Amino acid sequence: MEAGEFRAPRTRHRRGGFDGPGDYYMLCLDHVREFNAGYNYFEGMDEDAIWQAQRPWSGWDRETRSFASGGASPTPKWQDFTDPLDAIGARFRQGVRAPRTDGRPLTDRDRRNLQILGLKTDADRAQLRRRYAELLRKYHPDRNGGDRGYEQKLQRVIEAYQELKRAAAFAQA
């Protein structure tokens, strides 16, 4: 008999401790289906034990270790951490620079896409649409006698426009 590829627990509720996942049978697909059909997690439990396992707020009645009031350390271990180079904080501010004149933020990606379209950072949604249509006509192969040399530029223009029209800075008010 060859080992299968699907695990099935050897014992009903014991999954093992911190030393490992516990004991398992390795079954083929047909045998694991047969095993699953006959498996009942609640077998041997009384009605109260089943209710305790199935209640919607099960586990929420205990405080987790980090929020427990009687824990070994009342303050988090990271509370006294210093970041002199602002490496962690800078990571979360990386994508957003100073907002535009209308107060909407532009990410670095938005700025790159505006550069691809040849627009300034103060462009609005209407200017974005006009410039997109202009570049579409300029780079489309039908307008260039079937020349596919502008195909990559056209693709970049389309991708830039698609991203910008969904960006927060160009969202319709």
Side-chain angles (χ1 to χ4, degrees):
M1 182 160 112
E2 294 181 28
E5 57 181 307
F6 301 99
R7 294 189 316 178
R10 287 185 187 267
T11 57
R12 191 165 66 93
H13 289 288
R14 192 178 70 81
R15 286 190 31 103
F18 292 107
D19 293 334
D23 296 328
Y24 289 97
Y25 294 113
M26 296 305 289
L27 304 175
C28 68
L29 184 60
D30 292 332
H31 286 109
V32 84
R33 284 181 179 155
E34 182 182 328
F35 178 86
N36 286 341
Y39 186 77
N40 182 1
Y41 178 82
F42 300 108
E43 184 181 330
M45 295 175 125
D46 65 351
E47 194 174 313
D48 290 332
I50 293 172
W51 184 83
Q52 285 292 330
Q54 288 183 331
R55 63 192 176 111
W57 58 90
S58 180
W60 289 98
D61 53 347
R62 299 181 302 274
E63 289 186 33
T64 58
R65 207 176 313 163
S66 60
F67 293 109
S69 57
S73 173
T75 58
K77 294 179 180 177
W78 48 263
Q79 185 173 7
D80 59 351
F81 178 77
T82 57
D83 189 11
L85 300 176
D86 196 31
I88 295 171
R91 177 177 180 198
F92 295 104
R93 287 190 306 274
Q94 176 183 9
V96 179
R97 289 191 195 163
R100 299 177 340 155
T101 54
D102 60 1
R104 293 182 176 179
L106 273 178
T107 63
D108 288 340
R109 190 172 189 100
D110 293 341
R111 292 175 192 275
R112 264 194 313 275
N113 288 331
L114 284 171
Q115 192 174 25
I116 289 171
L117 296 177
L119 292 170
K120 294 184 180 178
T121 58
D122 61 347
D124 62 358
R125 196 170 174 88
Q127 290 173 325
L128 178 67
R129 176 72 180 121
R130 277 193 303 272
R131 182 65 178 161
Y132 171 67
E134 180 184 314
L135 291 175
L136 206 58
R137 285 190 298 272
K138 179 178 178 182
Y139 294 136
H140 199 278
D142 291 345
R143 292 290 205 125
N144 295 309
D147 181 15
R148 298 183 75 156
Y150 296 107
E151 199 168 293
Q152 283 189 333
K153 285 185 181 181
L154 177 65
Q155 188 62 36
R156 280 195 307 234
V157 166
I158 292 171
E159 288 171 3
Y161 175 72
Q162 294 295 329
E163 287 183 21
L164 284 173
K165 77 177 187 177
R166 288 189 303 259
F170 294 99
Q172 291 179 341

